[in-house]
Amino acid sequence: MKQQDDKNFVFSEKVSTFITEEVPSASNPYVTESQRIYGYDLEQLLRNKSFVDVIFLLLCGELPSSEDSHLLDKLAVALCNPGPRHPATRSTMIAGVSKTRAGHILPLGLLGLSGSSDGSIEVESAMGYISKNAGEVAERAGIKLCGAYVKCVGDSNIAPGFSSAFGAPDPLVLSLATNLNNLSSDRYFLSWALGLSDALTPINMGINRVGMAAAIFLDLNIPPREAGCLYQLLMAPGLLAHGLEQTHKPITSLPFLTDEYYDYENQSK
Amino acid sequence: MNITIMKINPNNTQFWDNKRNRITSGVGVWRGGEDVFFQGYSMKDDLIGKKSYMQIIVLNATGRLVEKSFSDWLEGNFIGLSYPDSRIWCNQIAALLATNGVSPTAASAAAILAADSRAYGGSYTSQIGIEQLSEIKSKYQGNQSFEQSLAHCNRRNGKPMINGFARPVDKDDERIAIYESLRKQLSIDVGEHLAFALQLSDYLQSKFGLAVNSGGYANAMFLDHGFSGEEAARIKAAAVLSGAIACFRDNQNKRAEFLPMKCKDIEYRGPKPRPLD
C-alpha cells in the first residue's frame, strides 16, 4: 500500500491488535483454524472458563483470579436488569411494541446507557471521583459533600456515582452493593463507596447503580473506558428481554397519551 | 432436469485476493485537498451552492441527481416525518435518552433505529409499501377487481393490511392535502402510480374505512419517479431525525422528568414470588 508521505498523517499498513491471534488454515489463508485470545486457545477457554472470565480477559488482557471472577459474575447479576422503568429499558420496550426490527432493539437500548446519567460517561467519572477521593476517610468526604450541597428540585448527583433516586437514596442499589461487599474481603473501593453513601444519608443521597459498579470496577482493576462500556454490556440482558417481550404484543399495548394529556405551552412562532 | 455441478477448488482464493487492500467504488471519491466527486459530479463545481441538500440525499442514496421540483416535494415529505411530538415512538425514545444525559447523536441514532419499523418511520415502511403498491397495481391492471387484487394481502380485523393505507394511530392523515397542494405548486403531474393510489384509497375508504396516508402518497410519488422500494428506504433512512432532535431538546438535562413512573405503573403479570430450589 502506498504511503501518502506528503500528508501529516502516516497511516499504518496493517491492522494490529494485542487481543486476538487467528491461526490460518494451511490450505486457505482466509479461514481460521484456531483462535487465541491474549495467548489462550479459545477451545481451552470454552472448556475451562466462564463467560465473565473471557469478557474480563478480552478487556483487561489477563484472566481474573477466582475471587475477582466471582465478584464480576455477581456484579453482572446485580446489573443485568435495570427494570422496566429505566429509560434505556423503556426505549427497548417502546421499540419492541412499535415493530422496530428486532435486531435494533438492543443497540438502541445500549445507546441509552452511553450518557452522563446512569451511563458509561458517568461510570468513567465515578471511577475518577472514587479513586481520587478514596484516600480520605469516607465519612469525612461525605461531610464535605453534605456541607457543599445545594438542594435543587428533582434528582441530582452530589458526586458521580452518588445521587438521589426520586428524592431518596436508592434502597435496592444500597442492598445489592452491601451484598456484593460481603462476598469477599479487601474490596477497598466498594467499602469506601458504601461508607461515603452512608455519610450522604442526611441529604437524602446515596450510592447509585453507577457508583456501585464503578467501585467494583476499580477493585477489579478494570480501566475506566473499558469499565464504562462493560457497564452497558452487563445491563444488556434486561433491556433485551423487556424489549423483545413487547415485540409479541400489538402496538396498542403501551399507552399513547391523548391530546388531553399533552400540554403544548409555547404557542408563539 | 440436468444439473451441472461446477467443481470449485475450495483453496482458490483469487476472488478475495483481488479485493484485499483495495476499495472499488461506484459512488464517489474524495480527492484530498482538491475536490470530492459524487457519482461523477464535482462538489466544488456542480453541487455546493447549486443543488439542495435533499438532492444530495437522493444522489447519495440512489446515484440519481433528481429535478429540484421532486426534491422540493420530497423535502415536504421529510418535514411531514419530523413531528416534534414526543408521543411518537422514536421521539419518545429520544426524549427518554435525553433524560439520561446521552449525546444528541446517540439519541438520534436510537430514534432512527427505532423508526426502522414495519409500522411507521418512512424507511422500511417505504420498502414494504412500494412493493405492495406495485403488486396490487399490477394485479388490478391485469383486469382483476380491487377485491381480487387485494385477496393476497394479510388481514387484521377483516381489513387488508397495506403499508401506506392506514396509520398506527387511527386519525385522518393531515399531510395528504398539503402534499397535493405542494405537488401542484411544483408543477409535478399526477403519475400513474399516484393516480392508482388515490383510486385505491377511495375504494379502501368506502369498503374498510382505510385511506392513503403520508407514506402511501410518498410511495406512489417514488414509483412515479422511477424509484424502487430499496432506493426509497435508503433515501428515507434517517427521515425522522429532525423530530427526534426536537424531542431530545425538550428533555435535555431533565433527569427522570419525562413521564416518570411509579413502580406500580407497570402491571406485573408474571409468576408469583417463588423460592430458589
Side-chain angles (χ1 to χ4, degrees), chain B residues 22-226:
Chain B
R22 177 165 296 280
I23 296 169
T24 304
S25 169
V27 302
V29 65
W30 166 46
R31 300 284 182 216
E34 295 169 19
D35 202 352
V36 184
F37 293 92
F38 295 54
Q39 204 75 42
Y41 295 98
S42 155
M43 182 180 77
K44 282 201 309 198
D45 300 334
D46 304 320
L47 301 179
I48 292 184
K50 299 186 173 78
K51 301 296 173 191
S52 71
Y53 182 54
M54 186 56 66
Q55 284 174 296
I56 302 306
I57 288 177
V58 178
L59 176 63
N60 274 335
T62 67
R64 287 173 52 190
L65 185 58
V66 293
E67 291 295 319
K68 184 136 189 324
S69 57
F70 178 67
S71 77
D72 281 355
W73 185 87
L74 197 54
E75 192 167 307
N77 178 230
F78 269 55
I79 294 171
L81 291 168
S82 303
Y83 288 21
D85 184 319
S86 51
R87 289 172 294 181
I88 312 292
W89 302 273
C90 53
N91 295 351
Q92 200 171 144
I93 288 168
L96 278 165
L97 298 202
T99 66
N100 246 27
V102 312
S103 72
T105 306
S108 304
I112 290 166
L113 279 175
D116 193 6
S117 154
R118 67 176 188 271
Y120 80 111
S123 179
Y124 189 29
T125 47
S126 293
Q127 186 169 342
I128 302 168
I130 282 173
E131 286 161 10
Q132 278 186 306
L133 186 60
S134 297
E135 187 178 358
I136 295 165
K137 182 169 172 289
S138 297
K139 287 178 190 286
Y140 185 75
Q141 288 176 337
N143 289 324
Q144 291 187 1
S145 65
F146 271 126
E147 198 174 346
Q148 290 165 326
S149 306
L150 300 174
H152 68 287
C153 296
N154 291 332
R155 307 233 157 195
R156 183 181 294 148
N157 302 326
K159 297 178 179 183
M161 291 166 63
I162 310 164
N163 228 300
F165 290 85
R167 296 179 85 182
V169 178
D170 194 17
K171 290 180 178 174
D172 290 337
D173 198 319
E174 56 280 349
R175 293 164 288 192
I176 299 302
I178 310 167
Y179 290 167
E180 263 294 273
S181 112
L182 180 60
R183 182 190 59 73
K184 288 175 187 163
Q185 183 190 320
L186 294 165
S187 305
I188 300 173
D189 292 334
V190 175
E192 57 172 314
H193 294 91
L194 182 55
F196 177 75
L198 297 173
Q199 202 184 342
L200 176 61
S201 181
D202 289 343
Y203 168 79
L204 291 169
Q205 181 71 267
S206 64
K207 290 281 283 187
F208 304 105
L210 300 172
V212 69
N213 64 23
S214 167
Y217 193 105
N219 292 343
M221 288 286 278
F222 273 123
L223 281 165
D224 281 336
H225 287 79

Side-chain angles (χ1 to χ4, degrees), chain A residues 1 7 13 27-30 84-88 90-95 97-101 104 107-108 111-119 121-122 155-157 163-164 166 208 247 251 255-259 262, chain B residues 10-11 13 16-18 20-21 32 84-90 92-93 96-97 99-103 106 109-110 113-120 124 127 168-169 171 250 255-263 266:
Chain A
M1 208 182 298
K7 303 282 187 256
E13 293 190 15
S27 57
N28 186 328
Y30 291 93
R85 297 180 301 126
H86 188 284
R90 283 169 72 179
S91 298
T92 65
M93 293 170 75
I94 292 162
V97 87
S98 62
K99 309 309 162 203
T100 299
R101 294 189 203 229
H104 296 344
L108 71 86
L111 287 168
L113 299 171
S114 67
S116 57
S117 174
D118 202 5
I121 293 175
E122 193 188 354
D155 285 327
S156 61
N157 278 43
S163 62
S164 59
F166 298 102
N208 63 25
T247 65
I251 200 166
F256 192 98
L257 294 183
T258 58
D259 292 348
Y262 190 95
Chain B
N11 301 330
T13 60
W16 296 281
D17 292 340
N18 291 340
R20 195 163 163 259
N21 291 332
D85 184 319
S86 51
R87 289 172 294 181
I88 312 292
W89 302 273
C90 53
Q92 200 171 144
I93 288 168
L96 278 165
L97 298 202
T99 66
N100 246 27
V102 312
S103 72
L113 279 175
D116 193 6
S117 154
R118 67 176 188 271
Y120 80 111
Y124 189 29
Q127 186 169 342
V169 178
K171 290 180 178 174
D250 212 17
R255 183 165 164 174
E257 290 183 41
F258 182 74
L259 295 175
M261 298 172 93
K262 295 179 180 175
C263 296
I266 307 277

Side-chain angles (χ1 to χ4, degrees), chain A:
Chain A
M1 208 182 298
K2 186 172 167 282
Q3 288 293 320
Q4 295 178 317
D5 51 11
D6 57 333
K7 303 282 187 256
N8 293 327
F9 296 110
V10 179
F11 294 98
S12 81
E13 293 190 15
K14 285 188 90 167
V15 178
S16 68
T17 175
F18 289 102
I19 302 169
T20 306
E21 182 185 9
E22 293 186 317
V23 181
S25 128
S27 57
N28 186 328
Y30 291 93
V31 172
T32 304
E33 195 81 41
S34 63
Q35 187 194 101
R36 287 189 279 266
I37 301 173
Y38 281 108
Y40 295 109
D41 182 75
L42 180 60
E43 295 188 45
Q44 284 188 31
L45 289 169
L46 176 156
R47 283 194 290 271
N48 299 301
K49 293 295 170 185
S50 69
F51 186 44
V52 294
D53 286 340
V54 179
I55 291 172
F56 188 95
L57 173 66
L58 283 164
L59 294 177
C60 301
E62 295 293 342
L63 284 164
S65 67
S66 58
E67 274 207 341
D68 283 357
S69 169
H70 186 59
L71 180 60
L72 182 58
D73 184 58
K74 295 303 173 192
L75 175 65
V77 175
L79 292 179
C80 76
N81 184 22
R85 297 180 301 126
H86 188 284
T89 317
R90 283 169 72 179
S91 298
T92 65
M93 293 170 75
I94 292 162
V97 87
S98 62
K99 309 309 162 203
T100 299
R101 294 189 203 229
H104 296 344
I105 289 173
L106 180 58
L108 71 86
L110 292 180
L111 287 168
L113 299 171
S114 67
S116 57
S117 174
D118 202 5
S120 55
I121 293 175
E122 193 188 354
V123 172
E124 281 197 60
S125 306
M127 289 177 76
Y129 172 77
I130 295 169
S131 61
K132 187 178 167 193
N133 291 280
E136 187 175 23
V137 175
E139 191 183 357
R140 199 174 305 143
I143 290 168
K144 274 190 207 163
L145 286 174
C146 290
Y149 174 60
V150 179
K151 186 160 175 49
C152 58
V153 179
D155 285 327
S156 61
N157 278 43
I158 188 75
F162 300 87
S163 62
S164 59
F166 298 102
D170 189 323
L172 176 60
V173 168
L174 187 59
S175 171
L176 291 170
T178 306
N179 260 295
L180 289 164
N181 197 39
N182 293 338
L183 280 177
S184 59
S185 56
D186 291 336
R187 296 304 179 182
Y188 179 79
F189 292 107
L190 182 56
S191 297
W192 185 88
L194 281 166
L196 179 64
S197 181
D198 193 41
L200 297 174
T201 311
I203 55 169
N204 282 325
M205 298 257 180
I207 191 168
N208 63 25
R209 190 170 18 234
V210 163
M212 172 180 75
I216 291 174
F217 291 145
L218 282 166
D219 281 323
L220 294 173
N221 212 17
I222 298 174
R225 191 178 304 159
E226 281 72 7
C229 299
L230 178 59
Y231 183 74
Q232 291 175 291
L233 183 63
L234 298 183
M235 303 258 272
L239 270 57
L240 184 58
H242 282 91
L244 287 174
E245 181 190 36
Q246 296 300 320
T247 65
H248 301 288
K249 299 179 179 180
I251 200 166
T252 49
S253 299
L254 289 187
F256 192 98
L257 294 183
T258 58
D259 292 348
E260 187 188 348
Y261 296 99
Y262 190 95
D263 300 323
Y264 177 42
E265 292 169 335
N266 181 3
Q267 300 287 343
S268 61
K269 280 188 179 177

